[in-house]
Amino acid sequence: MSEATAPQTGQPGATPSGAAGDPPNDVGLTIASLRAEQVLDSRGWPTVSVALTLDDGSVHEASAPAGASTGAFEAVESRDEGEEFSGRGVLKAVAGIEGEIAARLTDRRWDGIRALDDALRDLDGTPNLARLGANAVVAVSMAASRAFAHVSGVALYEWIAAQTGAQPLMPVPHFNVLNGGAHAANDLDFQEFMIAPLGLVSEEQAVRAGSEIYHALQSAVRDEFHTAGLGDEGGFAPPIANPVQALDLLVAAIEAAGYTTDQVKIALDPAANGFSLGDGNYQVGGRRLDRRELVDYYDGLLGDYPIWSIEDGFAEDDFEGWQLMFDRVGSSTQLVGDDLYVTDAARIREGAEKHYSNAALIKVNQIGTVSQTFDAIAAARENDMACMVSHRSGETIDAFIADLVVGTGVGQIKSGAPARGERVAKYNRLMSIERRQPQLQYGLH
Ligand code: PGA
Ligand code: ZN
């Protein structure tokens, strides 16, 4: 988004400062001014947008996404709680950026993103960014990352690769094509039904498959339910309640579009906090299941459908459920912790030690800063856990996470359906990087 005023930077193919694999080459910067605005996100609720101007006159922008099914341990957004926008205004966050945060960050030299992020965290003074707001802090941290890429003379994903020491990789996109849970008005308990083109060979092919399957699904949903209404992430939200019905629709759509279930697999995010009754009990498809029965239920689905990954299959506090599931299927199925870990390095390490899962979801605004997001990814990698970079259900056209996933080389992203501007902004950015850097490999590793 900084490209408007600095067309050479932040773009794939910008001249790198050194060959791939060079050690991080931090170049310092000075911020001349920081402006913020209240804008709308994809759900029509206010969010924070930042424009950071450097002393060379270049402007670097970013905006904060917002979740709906948030984890209890996430960094906390600042919301005005006033009459406007049902209390969801962000004018206090905006004022904090233009006041306190600008006073702390401007007119001094910053040698790297970590020092700047640490200064933001110190200034906030709370463990979960509750005072200035994670929505304020994350937008500033992302804009500052773009500014560092600019002064380094490289594209954002290349700067991220240098920061993390990773080999850039084109990720397998996970398209959320059927929506339920907190993201839709139907009675479907599971939140996300995704298609993942694991068996294709490029981002472009993967996006094409996503689009073709999405449209095959659209025809089926129109014919059967006489609606093509959407959930928050752009997937269809037909009036179904049973996850099995959703999975049948997905398999039929994959095949109707001419793909096999070897080429295109299914990933689920049940988001079990949403149907947890507490104490390890759950309500699924009108039935009450205890944690052992829920493990059996998932195991049955894994036997019947080409599901390769399950995220938040258990509630964020049902550690026993996570362990039972890991013991049963963890050697053959990716099990992803989202609300369980909230992109927190310490929680991820604990999860690895206690065998809760073999993968972590990565959302920058869950932890609040870009450097701590790098820490979360490093913690997962040190413990042989996979990572999936993720959007939020409330988004803007900011495509930061596309560069994040390529630059960290983690090989997986979810950004909703292959439709709606705020979702396709990320997939389009990925294809744009691939077109300019055709030597980059596509895949999980
Ligand atoms: P959220 O949902 O952005 O509404 O929190 C996304 C997810 O649970 O993965
Ligand atoms: Zn999730």
Side-chain angles (χ1 to χ4, degrees), residues 19 26 94 160 174 210-211 218 250 258 277 310 315 395 401 417 420:
D26 266 339
V94 164
I160 290 171
H174 289 63
S211 164
Q218 182 177 49
L250 280 199
L277 303 170
I310 301 179
E395 268 292 339
I401 61 167
R420 318 313 298 175

Side-chain angles (χ1 to χ4, degrees), residues 280-301:
N281 292 301
Y282 298 86
Q283 184 86 24
V284 182
R287 284 165 59 208
R288 187 189 169 96
L289 305 177
D290 66 24
R291 55 169 74 92
R292 284 174 193 282
E293 292 167 325
L294 186 56
V295 171
D296 291 340
Y297 180 74
Y298 287 134
D299 203 6
L301 294 181

Side-chain angles (χ1 to χ4, degrees), residues 43 65-71 74 176 182-183 191-192 194 232-233 269-271 311-312 338-339 361 363 365-366 390-395 414 423:
R43 271 192 283 254
S69 67
T70 47
E74 290 193 24
N176 180 13
H183 295 166
Q191 181 176 282
E192 301 173 19
M194 293 171 274
D232 286 356
E233 297 189 350
D269 180 5
E311 175 185 331
D312 280 0
D338 170 14
D339 294 342
L361 203 73
K363 293 166 164 169
N365 80 328
Q366 265 182 338
S390 172
H391 67 154
R392 300 309 301 250
S393 52
E395 268 292 339
K414 67 169 192 175
R423 310 297 150 188

Side-chain angles (χ1 to χ4, degrees), residues 146-413:
R146 286 194 163 104
F148 278 109
H150 163 74
V151 295
S152 306
V154 298
L156 180 58
Y157 76 87
E158 292 173 307
W159 176 81
I160 290 171
Q163 294 295 306
T164 56
Q167 182 66 38
L169 180 65
M170 299 311 304
V172 175
H174 289 63
F175 301 106
N176 180 13
V177 293
L178 277 173
N179 295 181
H183 295 166
N186 56 17
D187 294 322
L188 193 53
D189 296 311
F190 287 7
Q191 181 176 282
E192 301 173 19
F193 293 80
M194 293 171 274
I195 47 171
L198 291 177
L200 300 184
V201 299
S202 70
E203 203 70 42
E204 185 154 347
Q205 276 193 17
V207 172
R208 175 181 157 193
S211 164
E212 290 174 353
I213 295 165
Y214 181 76
H215 290 108
L217 183 63
Q218 182 177 49
S219 302
V221 168
R222 274 213 177 112
D223 288 350
E224 200 174 332
F225 303 100
H226 310 289
T227 169
L230 303 178
D232 286 356
E233 297 189 350
F236 303 106
I240 53 178
N242 193 331
V244 164
Q245 252 182 306
L247 288 164
D248 286 336
L249 279 166
L250 280 199
V251 170
I254 291 168
E255 287 169 356
Y259 295 91
T260 67
T261 51
D262 284 332
Q263 293 173 312
V264 182
K265 302 274 182 207
I266 293 174
L268 299 177
D269 180 5
N273 281 347
F275 55 89
S276 164
L277 303 170
D279 296 328
N281 292 301
Y282 298 86
Q283 184 86 24
V284 182
R287 284 165 59 208
R288 187 189 169 96
L289 305 177
D290 66 24
R291 55 169 74 92
R292 284 174 193 282
E293 292 167 325
L294 186 56
V295 171
D296 291 340
Y297 180 74
Y298 287 134
D299 203 6
L301 294 181
L302 287 166
D304 293 343
Y305 295 95
I307 297 167
W308 93 279
S309 177
I310 301 179
E311 175 185 331
D312 280 0
F314 292 82
E316 65 198 355
D317 53 0
D318 184 8
F319 306 117
E320 220 183 306
W322 280 95
Q323 285 171 326
L324 286 170
M325 181 75 173
F326 187 86
D327 281 352
R328 179 83 72 88
V329 304
S331 59
S332 55
T333 305
Q334 176 169 272
L335 301 173
V336 188
D338 170 14
D339 294 342
L340 179 69
Y341 298 139
V342 294
T343 315
D344 181 326
R347 286 179 188 277
I348 290 170
R349 276 192 204 98
E350 188 184 341
E353 198 179 298
K354 297 187 175 163
H355 298 281
Y356 295 156
S357 83
N358 52 26
L361 203 73
I362 300 295
K363 293 166 164 169
V364 185
N365 80 328
Q366 265 182 338
I367 192 68
T369 61
V370 171
S371 9
Q372 285 176 298
T373 304
F374 295 158
D375 294 344
I377 292 171
R381 284 195 159 141
E382 282 157 18
N383 289 286
D384 292 324
M385 286 165 82
C387 293
M388 186 189 291
V389 168
S390 172
H391 67 154
R392 300 309 301 250
S393 52
E395 268 292 339
T396 70
I397 56 168
D398 189 328
F400 189 93
I401 61 167
D403 285 74
L404 179 66
V405 71
V406 175
T408 55
V410 298
Q412 303 182 46
I413 187 172

